[in-house]
Amino acid sequence: MGHINRVNSIACSPDNRYIVSGSDDETIRIWDIATGAPVGDPLKGHTGRVCSVAYSPNGRNIVSGATDNMIRIWDAATGAPVRKPLKGHIKDVDSVAYSPDGLNIVSGSSDKTIRAWDAVTGLPLGDPLKGHTQRVRGVAYSPEGRNIVSVSSDQTIRVWDAQQIQNNGECLYE
């Protein structure tokens, strides 16, 4: 009925009706918060552990990152893939997040880079952001969307100018 292996990530839908989870069993599940029951079948498509999941701000889509180096976008209502996987990282995708306006996605990887993507087209926005010396464990947008924050196994937190992402970004401070 649920995941058959370790759960690595969870996120709540913006309307607080659902939870999405990603697991080592290579699946994503959607859960009804009121009943605790799974909603539909598991979302399948990754060929590696699902490390991170997030809802879009409008709740229509779910983004996931996995150890297959892929980022996938799913229709939250149907569970169907929205487009082909986003490819660019050369190692595990450890973290994914939507921008507050839902137009962009940011990802962090064990390849030590951060990438930004157009959530509508799936195309990369500029070159990978580089600066961390070990895997990027977490990424997030600031509430107003001006900055991207990343954390790494190198024991640093970096703040990037999201507006400069297409110009290879600018690390504002570490």
Side-chain angles (χ1 to χ4, degrees):
M1 187 155 134
H3 288 293
I4 58 171
N5 210 322
R6 179 177 66 185
V7 176
N8 298 310
S9 181
I10 58 167
C12 289
S13 64
D15 64 6
N16 288 316
R17 293 182 56 208
Y18 303 102
I19 295 171
V20 64
S21 58
S23 170
D24 278 2
D25 64 13
E26 302 178 359
T27 69
I28 296 147
R29 287 192 144 294
I30 300 171
W31 307 86
D32 184 297
I33 288 179
T35 66
V39 177
D41 293 326
L43 284 58
K44 296 181 179 179
H46 283 293
T47 58
R49 290 183 290 117
V50 179
C51 301
S52 185
V53 293
Y55 269 97
S56 63
N58 64 12
R60 290 188 191 131
N61 293 322
I62 294 166
V63 64
S64 59
T67 60
D68 59 6
N69 311 345
M70 304 286 179
I71 299 160
R72 292 185 177 269
I73 301 172
W74 311 86
D75 183 300
T78 67
V82 172
R83 68 185 40 78
K84 291 183 179 184
L86 310 183
K87 299 178 182 180
H89 286 293
I90 57 172
K91 292 189 177 178
D92 303 351
V93 178
D94 291 328
S95 184
V96 291
Y98 270 95
S99 62
D101 61 10
L103 297 178
N104 298 323
I105 294 168
V106 66
S107 57
S109 170
S110 61
D111 66 11
K112 306 174 194 170
T113 68
I114 297 120
R115 288 183 170 265
W117 310 86
D118 183 304
V120 177
T121 66
L123 296 173
L125 299 173
D127 294 326
L129 302 177
K130 297 178 181 177
H132 287 293
T133 60
Q134 293 183 30
R135 78 188 310 145
V136 179
R137 296 250 177 215
V139 291
Y141 275 90
S142 59
E144 77 293 331
R146 284 193 304 253
N147 297 313
I148 295 169
V149 182
S150 59
V151 297
S152 170
S153 295
D154 66 10
Q155 302 173 354
T156 63
I157 299 168
R158 289 180 177 257
V159 179
W160 307 85
D161 184 342
Q163 310 307 312
Q164 294 294 319
I165 202 86
Q166 292 181 335
N167 300 324
N168 202 25
E170 175 186 353
C171 183
L172 298 174
Y173 54 90
E174 178 179 320

